[in-house]
Amino acid sequence: MNIMIIEDQRDVVDMLQLNWSDTRDRLDCLTSARQANRFIHSNELAAYDCILIDINLTDGSGLELLRHARLRSDVPIIIISGAGDADSRADAISVGADDYVMKPFSVKELRARVHRLHEARLGRSALRQSVAFKIGNIDCDIERLSMDFGGASRQLTALEGRILQVLHANVGEDCPKSSIARKALFREHDPRDKTIDVYINRLRGKLAELDGASGDVIKTIRGVGYRLSAIQH
């Protein structure tokens, strides 16, 4: 894998490069938001399999870099933060981060997360191939990552698409967060992690923007997870 680290703390970069146990991976580093911005808007972006971005760079915002990168690529992006809470994690996820880790972190665990996201991306085209279904009144095309209704369209992120696939595969049934986490996020569910809740709220919002009635078809099942239901007439 080719991995780009956008981090201005040299000790963090050194720790990653010294302790990254998979010698098949190549770790490159950019130490400023200015350098990273040039990288994101260049053709080099396509050569990388994962990007690690420090949320608080001395000369700029990691969230802004994330936002620009997500407009150009579906490359897995992990946000690294030295200080934060549930709100900052939610902000990063809403902008398009695939994962979020706090300093200090385990390099071994981070490497496992990076490889899991990479493997998921490799298999994504097979998962997305010719997958189309309705959510309420809305046509969902997972291959194109879009939702369409009445001539209007909303784009989906890859993770939003996977969550919709999981819900649709269990339509009418309770879908535990543990199942969504394993099948869409490719990790075990941590009850403290609000990633799934944030993405469900985003999906509800996009559905409601296209069709008010369809915005209510993802039901919250307290203590369990979610259920995809039919529109109630």
Side-chain angles (χ1 to χ4, degrees):
M1 292 180 62
N2 293 326
I3 302 161
M4 178 60 78
I5 306 165
I6 301 173
E7 168 65 74
D8 56 8
Q9 288 186 269
R10 191 69 239 182
D11 58 335
V12 174
V13 176
D14 290 343
M15 177 187 69
L16 285 167
Q17 293 178 330
L18 286 171
N19 295 286
W20 200 273
S21 57
D22 195 328
T23 56
R24 297 169 299 175
D25 295 337
R26 170 184 168 182
L27 275 65
D28 295 326
C29 176
L30 298 172
T31 58
S32 71
R34 181 174 54 83
Q35 292 175 334
N37 196 52
R38 286 204 302 266
F39 160 71
I40 286 169
H41 289 89
S42 74
N43 292 331
E44 292 180 58
L45 178 63
Y48 286 84
D49 302 299
C50 188
I51 304 175
L52 312 178
I53 304 178
D54 185 358
I55 199 169
N56 291 314
L57 297 165
T58 303
D59 65 333
S61 164
L63 280 182
E64 282 302 307
L65 293 173
L66 166 63
R67 183 176 287 109
H68 289 301
R70 192 46 78 223
L71 290 172
R72 291 178 50 81
S73 173
D74 70 344
V75 62
I77 299 175
I78 299 177
I79 288 291
I80 299 172
S81 176
D85 52 23
D87 288 338
S88 60
R89 181 190 295 266
D91 288 343
I93 291 168
S94 68
V95 173
D98 295 281
D99 210 341
Y100 187 105
V101 298
M102 295 288 296
K103 299 176 184 176
F105 53 80
S106 160
V107 176
K108 182 178 180 180
E109 180 183 353
L110 178 60
R111 181 175 59 82
R113 292 190 185 200
V114 166
H115 279 254
R116 186 167 58 231
L117 288 170
H118 177 56
E119 289 164 6
R121 189 189 190 201
L122 290 177
R124 195 175 299 155
S125 59
L127 287 172
R128 286 180 3 201
Q129 186 174 7
S130 300
V131 177
F133 46 80
K134 276 188 175 290
I135 300 290
N137 294 319
I138 295 171
D139 294 313
C140 298
D141 188 327
I142 305 304
E143 185 174 9
R144 294 191 300 114
L145 288 177
S146 70
M147 300 191 298
D148 302 279
F149 177 74
S153 180
R154 291 291 182 276
Q155 289 300 117
L156 295 165
T157 67
L159 179 50
E160 287 171 343
R162 293 197 299 271
I163 291 174
L164 283 182
Q165 281 182 283
V166 174
L167 292 174
H168 184 261
N170 297 276
V171 63
E173 301 176 1
D174 293 354
C175 195
K177 289 183 181 179
S178 58
S179 178
I180 298 173
R182 284 193 300 271
K183 295 176 181 178
L185 278 68
F186 309 108
R187 61 174 184 252
E188 293 302 314
H189 176 57
D190 180 347
R192 298 166 297 178
D193 186 352
K194 302 303 180 184
T195 301
I196 293 173
D197 305 301
V198 170
Y199 270 89
I200 290 290
N201 286 334
R202 286 181 61 183
L203 284 167
R204 285 169 169 160
K206 290 183 178 182
L207 289 164
E209 287 173 5
L210 290 170
D211 174 53
S214 298
D216 296 325
V217 297
I218 302 178
K219 306 295 185 184
T220 298
I221 309 302
R222 191 172 298 278
V224 178
Y226 298 94
R227 180 196 302 139
L228 183 62
S229 302
I231 291 178
Q232 300 297 313
H233 295 286

